[in-house]
Amino acid sequence: MTPAILKSGGKVIIGGLLLFLAGTVPAQPVVDQGEHLASDRPEAWAMAYLSGTTLFSGFGPAASTEFGAIHLGAGAAHIPHISTERRRVGFNGTKLEDLNKLPIFGRLRLAVGLPADFTLELGWTPPVEINGVKARRSLDLALERPLLESGRWQAGARAFYQYARISGDFTCSRETAANPPGSPGNPFGCRAPSDDRSVIEQYGLEMAVSHRLMNDRLEPYLAYAATRMNPRTHVRARVFEVLDRSLLTTDLTTHTITLGTILRPARRWEVLAALSWTPLHVRRPPHRARQSDDLYSARLMLRRRFR
């Protein structure tokens, strides 16, 4: 038998042994199932609550604009702090989740004037990781147009769509995983920080009316938005000796009322501020009675007109 044949045969034998050994090692159990949740389940409430803080609503009614006009803005929305008891949303309200990752949500906006007084607005969140959270994909799109311009009164409509894919250690935080599995600080057995993937997908219609004051330098406004939400979370965690790959989805329609103002300190500059209220409902243990747990959020943006 030649050395080449011996060498080839050795590779076959070693490969066979590796396959045999691989077949004898028990596979790690995997939980890989999807569940569509009622909109008032604690997990669904949390997804809707956090999705609502990113709403791509406008700042006042759309105004008449020239074709090719450009507005560039940078803004942030406040993400309210969620108490410990309200963060107990996992497993139908029994597991504490790390939802207080960020105090604000940032976004860049670009608006371009189109024919017939339409304005196209695009939004984008940079893929910067902060406290373990990162926006991996982000697309915000809106089309708006004035409906009424009578003296100092303005009214307009806006249609919008949002999609964002966000990663973070929500179900097994770094702090929780640092404790021994099964201990009081880690009762659900997190072995390592999770790499959960949350998707924010929502679309809706907004109507707004405003009244200009102080030679058009100040413009208070009132707006109403109806939004269809389809949030989902894909869990990617190792708990005890199990790989959790569960997919949680829900869908609901929310209604948001916004009170805001536009301040024009200079000819091409605008400072925009808004306070929003979105009613939400949830059923928490032990009684599971349906109760209100609404979202209140503040937004601020600085915008400049270039053309």
Side-chain angles (χ1 to χ4, degrees), residues 25-268:
V25 176
Q28 190 170 24
V30 178
V31 176
D32 187 5
Q33 60 184 9
E35 184 177 7
H36 187 75
L37 309 175
S39 62
D40 54 6
R41 271 270 296 257
E43 305 96 322
W45 169 86
M47 288 191 283
Y49 190 94
L50 295 176
S51 295
T53 63
T54 73
L55 196 65
F56 193 49
S57 53
F59 282 91
S64 296
T65 184
E66 297 178 359
F67 175 65
I70 296 175
H71 293 77
L72 183 62
H78 174 233
I79 303 177
H81 184 272
I82 305 176
S83 67
T84 299
E85 286 306 311
R86 295 166 71 217
R87 289 192 295 115
R88 203 173 297 279
V89 298
F91 296 127
N92 202 8
T94 58
K95 179 179 178 294
L96 194 66
E97 308 288 14
D98 189 7
L99 303 180
N100 291 322
K101 287 293 189 181
L102 301 174
I104 61 172
F105 172 81
R107 175 189 279 131
L108 299 176
R109 294 184 181 225
L110 172 66
V112 180
L114 301 179
D117 264 350
F118 281 97
T119 297
L120 174 67
E121 186 172 23
L122 302 174
W124 178 65
T125 300
V128 178
E129 183 172 331
I130 302 176
N131 196 24
V133 178
K134 182 177 181 180
R136 296 184 174 273
R137 294 181 183 176
S138 173
L139 172 64
D140 306 318
L141 179 67
L143 187 65
E144 61 182 20
R145 188 185 189 283
L147 299 178
L148 171 69
E149 293 181 315
S150 177
R152 296 186 178 275
W153 288 96
Q154 314 286 322
R158 174 186 179 94
F160 59 88
Y161 172 80
Q162 292 176 249
Y163 179 90
R165 185 181 295 273
I166 301 171
S167 64
D169 52 336
F170 305 111
T171 57
C172 281
S173 68
R174 187 174 302 276
E175 293 77 10
T176 299
N179 297 299
S183 66
N186 188 4
F188 286 87
C190 294
R191 292 286 186 180
S194 58
D195 185 23
D196 308 311
R197 304 298 170 92
S198 294
V199 172
I200 297 173
E201 186 173 19
Q202 48 199 18
Y203 55 91
L205 181 65
E206 182 180 45
M207 307 288 291
V209 60
S210 69
H211 183 68
R212 295 183 176 180
L213 304 171
M214 298 171 54
N215 295 323
D216 295 346
R217 294 183 61 188
L218 185 67
E219 187 176 350
Y221 71 87
L222 178 67
Y224 162 78
T227 307
R228 186 63 178 174
M229 294 184 172
N230 302 105
R232 44 198 182 271
T233 296
H234 194 175
V235 179
R236 301 175 65 177
R238 183 184 174 196
V239 291
F240 292 113
E241 300 305 323
V242 176
L243 293 177
D244 189 350
R245 296 293 185 266
S246 302
L247 176 62
L248 303 178
T249 64
T250 191
D251 56 77
L252 70 159
T253 299
T254 61
H255 305 273
T256 301
I257 295 177
T258 301
L259 180 64
T261 188
I262 304 171
L263 176 64
R264 300 179 176 91
R267 180 171 174 268
R268 292 182 178 270

Side-chain angles (χ1 to χ4, degrees), residues 2-38:
T2 66
I5 295 176
L6 287 172
K7 184 177 181 180
S8 176
K11 289 182 178 180
V12 172
I13 294 172
I14 292 173
L17 287 173
L18 290 175
L19 288 174
F20 172 77
L21 291 174
T24 61
V25 176
Q28 190 170 24
V30 178
V31 176
D32 187 5
Q33 60 184 9
E35 184 177 7
H36 187 75
L37 309 175

Side-chain angles (χ1 to χ4, degrees), residues 284-304:
R284 291 193 173 96
H287 303 298
R288 304 290 181 186
R290 197 168 191 256
Q291 57 184 293
S292 296
D293 196 339
D294 303 340
L295 167 65
Y296 297 90
S297 183
R299 294 181 295 131
L300 186 67
M301 184 171 73
L302 180 64
R303 184 167 64 187
R304 187 181 190 278

